[in-house]
Amino acid sequence: MRHVARMRFSDVAELNRYALGNGLDVLLLKDDRAPIISYQTWFKVGSRDERPGKTGLAHLFEHLMFNQTKNLPAGRFDRLLEAAGGETNAATWVDWTYYYENLPASKLNLVIGLEAERMANLVLKEPQVRSEKEVVANERRYRVEDDVQGQASEVLYATAFRKHPYRWPTIGWMRDIEGFTLRDCRDFYKRYYAPNNATIVLVGDFEPDAALRLIEGAYGGLRSSRIQRPKRSVEPAQRRERVVSLTLPTATEKLQLGYRGPAFGTYDHAVLAVADEILFGGRSSRLHRALISEGELASEADSSLSPFRDPGLYEIWISMREGKRAASAQLVLDAGIRRLQRGQVTSSEMEKAKNRLELAFLQSIETVTGKAESIGFYTTVLGDPRHIFLRMEQLRKVDRADLKEVAARYLQPSQRTIVRIYPKLGTAHD
């Protein structure tokens, strides 16, 4: 076990980074304010590591990893954690997959043994793969095919991206889910579920030396993998606006837009995050008032800026009130963006946006689970946990000139994809 780096996490806490000889990345943050721990395993694999025809494999593994292992019959993993008073779950997105356990500090030995066991000894046979394929197919029917916003989001990304793997959904296309073979799963597990593709994050009440001995004992004998990732595709520049119209079973018109955005970790991403807060952050924001509380055009208006390693999208979703046209909302949206591009931002708007972002940041690292998630996410996506605090510095630095310049560069009609959703039955009108 080699000590790699040390960084100050707070006035009283220090984050230490270690590496095992097999490449396993280990990050420890002691926080003994309560006798609990959060133990997380982050794998550098997501839907971007798949290829056409095999989309959804990363997400399928999020399910398969809770099944039988060589030394644990099916269901034993969950029962042991539940008996210990713990909770466990997992998540997958474009750049990562992670597994977490929150449990009493006295159960550290248990969770280290369980996670090392399923990293090395997962049992993959036809019955397990067939069963989880059906579970994922049903999840897709519920979350995408029976959900208007789920369908619109898939169309948005498939239209906005033509080369990059961000164009397919993390859950995978249905035909690919149904077509996975046992060999697909075994190859994927062997390649990506290896210590040199993982980061262990431990936050909470523990003794560092004892924790390191346990981790080294459980994982030190695991073999690293030769990871050959699919060749990266660079998304070509977008030259003109792209528009898609859908007719779906919904009572009102809806509008989904995606502007080409910057990669997470860049200064432009932080600037656009502040711009988003001014436009959509809370009920007193410009566009919430213009579209919902004062304009009475829409019943819902949300936005998000994708936190992806490569350039993603700045997404906007607007659900119209009955009888109101999505075209009306688009005019209001365009007017709000033009004000940003002209530099029309008040000091109070700027202060409120930054305060809201700083509050959200501080709340995200309040608990041991939140700290572990932030450490794992920034380490996996950007390669260094210090980006947690660099991000906050970037947000504080943003000024009016930055907003004007970034809004003018990214929020142009030529840089966006629009999905217009019309009700299948009835006609909306002003």
Side-chain angles (χ1 to χ4, degrees), residues 159-197:
T159 307
F161 292 95
R162 293 176 174 172
K163 297 286 187 183
H164 197 283
Y166 290 164
R167 70 185 186 276
W168 58 71
T170 297
I171 198 170
W173 301 118
M174 183 62 92
R175 60 183 177 276
D176 295 348
I177 296 168
E178 293 170 342
F180 291 142
T181 66
L182 179 59
R183 182 172 181 177
D184 293 331
C185 297
R186 285 177 171 170
D187 288 348
F188 193 89
Y189 179 65
K190 183 179 179 182
R191 179 181 304 165
Y192 293 115
Y193 279 73
N196 55 319
N197 199 42

Coordinates of all heavy atoms in Angstrom, one line a residue, residues 159-197:
T159 N -30.5 12.9 -31.0 CA -30.5 13.9 -32.0 C -29.4 14.9 -31.9 O -28.7 15.3 -32.9 CB -31.8 14.7 -32.0 OG1 -32.9 13.8 -32.1 CG2 -31.9 15.6 -33.2
A160 N -29.1 15.3 -30.6 CA -28.0 16.2 -30.4 C -26.6 15.7 -30.6 O -25.7 16.4 -31.0 CB -28.1 16.8 -29.0
F161 N -26.4 14.3 -30.4 CA -25.1 13.7 -30.6 C -25.2 12.7 -31.7 O -26.2 11.9 -31.8 CB -24.7 13.0 -29.3 CG -24.4 13.9 -28.2 CD1 -25.3 14.2 -27.2 CD2 -23.1 14.5 -28.1 CE1 -25.0 15.1 -26.2 CE2 -22.8 15.4 -27.1 CZ -23.8 15.7 -26.1
R162 N -24.3 12.7 -32.6 CA -24.3 11.8 -33.8 C -23.1 10.9 -33.8 O -23.1 9.9 -34.5 CB -24.3 12.7 -35.1 CG -25.6 13.4 -35.2 CD -25.6 14.3 -36.5 NE -26.9 14.9 -36.6 CZ -27.2 15.8 -37.5 NH1 -26.3 16.3 -38.3 NH2 -28.4 16.3 -37.6
K163 N -22.0 11.2 -33.0 CA -20.8 10.3 -33.0 C -20.5 9.8 -31.6 O -20.2 8.7 -31.4 CB -19.6 11.1 -33.5 CG -19.7 11.5 -35.0 CD -19.5 10.4 -35.9 CE -19.5 10.8 -37.4 NZ -19.3 9.7 -38.3
H164 N -20.6 10.7 -30.6 CA -20.2 10.4 -29.3 C -21.2 9.4 -28.6 O -22.4 9.5 -28.9 CB -20.2 11.7 -28.4 CG -19.4 11.6 -27.2 ND1 -19.9 11.0 -26.0 CD2 -18.2 12.0 -26.8 CE1 -19.0 11.0 -25.1 NE2 -17.9 11.6 -25.5
P165 N -20.7 8.5 -27.7 CA -21.6 7.6 -27.1 C -22.6 8.2 -26.1 O -23.5 7.5 -25.7 CB -20.6 6.7 -26.3 CG -19.3 7.3 -26.3 CD -19.2 8.2 -27.5
Y166 N -22.5 9.5 -25.8 CA -23.6 10.1 -25.1 C -24.9 10.1 -25.8 O -26.0 10.4 -25.3 CB -23.2 11.6 -24.8 CG -22.1 11.8 -23.8 CD1 -21.5 13.0 -23.7 CD2 -21.7 10.7 -22.9 CE1 -20.4 13.2 -22.8 CE2 -20.6 10.9 -22.1 CZ -20.0 12.2 -22.0 OH -19.0 12.4 -21.1
R167 N -24.9 9.6 -27.1 CA -26.1 9.6 -27.9 C -27.0 8.5 -27.5 O -28.2 8.5 -27.9 CB -25.8 9.6 -29.4 CG -25.2 8.3 -29.9 CD -24.8 8.4 -31.4 NE -24.4 7.2 -32.0 CZ -23.2 6.7 -32.0 NH1 -22.2 7.4 -31.3 NH2 -22.8 5.6 -32.6
W168 N -26.5 7.5 -26.8 CA -27.5 6.4 -26.4 C -27.7 6.4 -24.9 O -26.9 6.9 -24.2 CB -26.9 5.0 -26.9 CG -25.6 4.6 -26.4 CD1 -25.3 4.2 -25.1 CD2 -24.4 4.4 -27.2 NE1 -24.0 3.8 -25.1 CE2 -23.4 4.0 -26.3 CE3 -24.1 4.6 -28.5 CZ2 -22.1 3.7 -26.7 CZ3 -22.8 4.4 -29.0 CH2 -21.8 3.9 -28.1
P169 N -28.9 5.9 -24.5 CA -29.3 6.0 -23.1 C -28.5 5.0 -22.2 O -28.2 3.9 -22.7 CB -30.8 5.7 -23.2 CG -30.9 4.8 -24.3 CD -29.9 5.3 -25.4
T170 N -28.3 5.4 -21.0 CA -27.6 4.6 -20.1 C -28.3 3.3 -19.8 O -27.7 2.2 -19.7 CB -27.3 5.3 -18.7 OG1 -26.5 6.4 -19.0 CG2 -26.7 4.4 -17.7
I171 N -29.6 3.3 -19.8 CA -30.4 2.1 -19.6 C -30.3 1.2 -20.8 O -30.5 0.0 -20.7 CB -31.9 2.4 -19.2 CG1 -32.5 1.2 -18.6 CG2 -32.7 2.8 -20.5 CD1 -33.9 1.4 -18.0
G172 N -29.9 1.7 -22.0 CA -29.8 0.9 -23.2 C -31.0 0.9 -24.0 O -32.1 1.1 -23.5
W173 N -30.8 0.6 -25.3 CA -32.0 0.4 -26.2 C -32.6 -1.0 -25.9 O -31.9 -1.9 -25.6 CB -31.6 0.5 -27.7 CG -30.9 1.8 -28.1 CD1 -29.6 1.9 -28.6 CD2 -31.5 3.1 -28.1 NE1 -29.4 3.2 -28.8 CE2 -30.5 4.0 -28.5 CE3 -32.7 3.6 -27.7 CZ2 -30.7 5.4 -28.7 CZ3 -32.9 5.0 -27.8 CH2 -31.9 5.8 -28.3
M174 N -33.9 -1.1 -26.1 CA -34.6 -2.3 -25.7 C -34.1 -3.5 -26.5 O -33.8 -4.6 -25.9 CB -36.1 -2.2 -26.0 CG -36.9 -3.4 -25.5 SD -36.8 -3.8 -23.8 CE -38.2 -2.8 -23.2
R175 N -33.8 -3.3 -27.8 CA -33.3 -4.4 -28.6 C -32.0 -4.9 -28.1 O -31.7 -6.1 -28.2 CB -33.3 -4.1 -30.1 CG -32.3 -2.9 -30.4 CD -32.4 -2.6 -31.9 NE -31.5 -1.4 -32.2 CZ -31.9 -0.1 -32.0 NH1 -33.2 0.1 -31.6 NH2 -31.1 0.9 -32.3
D176 N -31.1 -4.0 -27.6 CA -29.8 -4.4 -27.1 C -30.0 -5.2 -25.7 O -29.3 -6.2 -25.5 CB -28.9 -3.2 -26.9 CG -28.6 -2.5 -28.2 OD1 -28.9 -3.1 -29.3 OD2 -28.1 -1.4 -28.2
I177 N -30.9 -4.7 -24.9 CA -31.1 -5.3 -23.6 C -31.5 -6.8 -23.8 O -31.0 -7.7 -23.2 CB -32.2 -4.6 -22.8 CG1 -31.7 -3.2 -22.4 CG2 -32.6 -5.3 -21.5 CD1 -32.8 -2.2 -21.9
E178 N -32.4 -6.9 -24.7 CA -33.0 -8.3 -25.0 C -31.9 -9.2 -25.7 O -32.0 -10.4 -25.6 CB -34.2 -8.2 -25.9 CG -35.4 -7.5 -25.2 CD -36.5 -7.2 -26.2 OE1 -36.3 -7.2 -27.4 OE2 -37.7 -6.9 -25.7
G179 N -30.9 -8.6 -26.3 CA -29.9 -9.4 -27.0 C -28.6 -9.7 -26.3 O -27.8 -10.4 -26.8
F180 N -28.5 -9.2 -25.0 CA -27.2 -9.5 -24.3 C -27.1 -11.0 -24.1 O -28.0 -11.8 -23.8 CB -27.3 -8.9 -22.9 CG -27.2 -7.4 -22.9 CD1 -27.9 -6.7 -22.0 CD2 -26.4 -6.7 -23.8 CE1 -27.9 -5.3 -22.0 CE2 -26.3 -5.3 -23.8 CZ -27.1 -4.6 -22.9
T181 N -25.8 -11.5 -24.3 CA -25.5 -12.9 -24.1 C -24.7 -13.1 -22.8 O -24.1 -12.1 -22.3 CB -24.7 -13.4 -25.3 OG1 -23.4 -12.8 -25.3 CG2 -25.4 -13.2 -26.6
L182 N -24.6 -14.3 -22.4 CA -23.8 -14.6 -21.2 C -22.3 -14.2 -21.5 O -21.6 -13.7 -20.6 CB -23.8 -16.1 -20.9 CG -23.0 -16.6 -19.7 CD1 -23.4 -15.9 -18.4 CD2 -23.2 -18.1 -19.6
R183 N -21.9 -14.4 -22.7 CA -20.5 -14.0 -23.0 C -20.3 -12.5 -22.9 O -19.2 -12.1 -22.5 CB -20.1 -14.6 -24.4 CG -18.7 -14.2 -24.8 CD -18.2 -14.9 -26.1 NE -16.9 -14.6 -26.4 CZ -16.2 -15.1 -27.4 NH1 -16.8 -15.9 -28.3 NH2 -15.0 -14.7 -27.6
D184 N -21.3 -11.8 -23.4 CA -21.2 -10.3 -23.3 C -20.9 -9.9 -21.8 O -20.1 -9.1 -21.5 CB -22.5 -9.6 -23.7 CG -22.7 -9.8 -25.2 OD1 -21.8 -9.9 -26.0 OD2 -23.9 -9.8 -25.6
C185 N -21.7 -10.5 -20.9 CA -21.6 -10.2 -19.5 C -20.3 -10.6 -18.9 O -19.6 -9.9 -18.1 CB -22.8 -10.8 -18.7 SG -24.4 -10.2 -19.3
R186 N -19.8 -11.8 -19.2 CA -18.5 -12.3 -18.7 C -17.4 -11.4 -19.2 O -16.5 -11.1 -18.4 CB -18.3 -13.7 -19.0 CG -19.2 -14.7 -18.2 CD -19.1 -16.1 -18.6 NE -19.8 -17.0 -17.7 CZ -20.0 -18.3 -17.9 NH1 -19.5 -18.9 -19.0 NH2 -20.6 -19.0 -17.0
D187 N -17.4 -11.1 -20.4 CA -16.3 -10.2 -21.0 C -16.3 -8.8 -20.3 O -15.2 -8.3 -20.0 CB -16.5 -10.0 -22.5 CG -16.2 -11.3 -23.3 OD1 -15.6 -12.2 -22.7 OD2 -16.5 -11.4 -24.5
F188 N -17.5 -8.3 -20.1 CA -17.6 -6.9 -19.5 C -17.1 -7.0 -18.1 O -16.3 -6.1 -17.6 CB -19.1 -6.5 -19.6 CG -19.3 -5.0 -19.3 CD1 -19.3 -4.1 -20.3 CD2 -19.5 -4.6 -18.0 CE1 -19.5 -2.8 -20.0 CE2 -19.8 -3.3 -17.7 CZ -19.7 -2.4 -18.7
Y189 N -17.5 -8.0 -17.3 CA -17.1 -8.1 -15.9 C -15.6 -8.3 -15.8 O -14.9 -7.6 -15.0 CB -17.8 -9.3 -15.3 CG -17.5 -9.6 -13.9 CD1 -17.8 -8.7 -12.9 CD2 -16.8 -10.8 -13.5 CE1 -17.5 -9.0 -11.5 CE2 -16.5 -11.1 -12.2 CZ -16.9 -10.1 -11.2 OH -16.6 -10.4 -9.9
K190 N -15.0 -9.1 -16.6 CA -13.6 -9.4 -16.6 C -12.8 -8.1 -16.9 O -11.7 -7.9 -16.4 CB -13.2 -10.5 -17.6 CG -11.8 -10.9 -17.6 CD -11.5 -12.1 -18.6 CE -10.1 -12.4 -18.6 NZ -9.8 -13.5 -19.6
R191 N -13.3 -7.4 -17.9 CA -12.5 -6.2 -18.3 C -12.6 -5.0 -17.3 O -11.6 -4.4 -17.0 CB -13.1 -5.7 -19.7 CG -12.4 -4.5 -20.2 CD -13.0 -4.1 -21.6 NE -12.9 -5.2 -22.5 CZ -13.6 -5.2 -23.7 NH1 -14.4 -4.2 -24.0 NH2 -13.5 -6.2 -24.5
Y192 N -13.8 -4.7 -16.9 CA -14.0 -3.5 -16.1 C -14.1 -3.6 -14.6 O -13.9 -2.7 -13.9 CB -15.3 -2.8 -16.6 CG -15.2 -2.3 -18.0 CD1 -15.9 -2.8 -19.0 CD2 -14.2 -1.3 -18.3 CE1 -15.8 -2.3 -20.4 CE2 -14.1 -0.8 -19.6 CZ -14.9 -1.3 -20.7 OH -14.8 -0.9 -21.9
Y193 N -14.5 -4.8 -14.1 CA -14.6 -5.0 -12.6 C -13.4 -5.5 -12.1 O -13.3 -6.7 -11.7 CB -15.9 -5.8 -12.3 CG -17.1 -5.0 -12.4 CD1 -17.7 -4.6 -13.6 CD2 -17.8 -4.6 -11.2 CE1 -18.8 -3.8 -13.6 CE2 -18.9 -3.8 -11.2 CZ -19.4 -3.4 -12.5 OH -20.5 -2.5 -12.5
A194 N -12.4 -4.7 -12.1 CA -11.0 -5.1 -11.6 C -10.5 -4.0 -10.7 O -10.9 -2.8 -10.8 CB -10.1 -5.3 -12.8
P195 N -9.5 -4.3 -9.8 CA -9.0 -3.2 -8.9 C -8.4 -2.0 -9.6 O -8.5 -0.9 -9.1 CB -8.0 -4.0 -8.1 CG -7.7 -5.3 -8.8 CD -8.9 -5.6 -9.6
N196 N -7.8 -2.2 -10.7 CA -7.2 -1.0 -11.4 C -8.2 -0.2 -12.1 O -7.8 0.8 -12.8 CB -6.1 -1.5 -12.4 CG -6.6 -2.5 -13.4 OD1 -7.4 -3.4 -13.1 ND2 -6.2 -2.4 -14.6
N197 N -9.5 -0.5 -12.0 CA -10.5 0.3 -12.6 C -11.5 0.8 -11.5 O -12.6 1.3 -11.8 CB -11.3 -0.5 -13.7 CG -12.1 0.4 -14.6 OD1 -11.6 1.4 -15.1 ND2 -13.4 0.1 -14.9

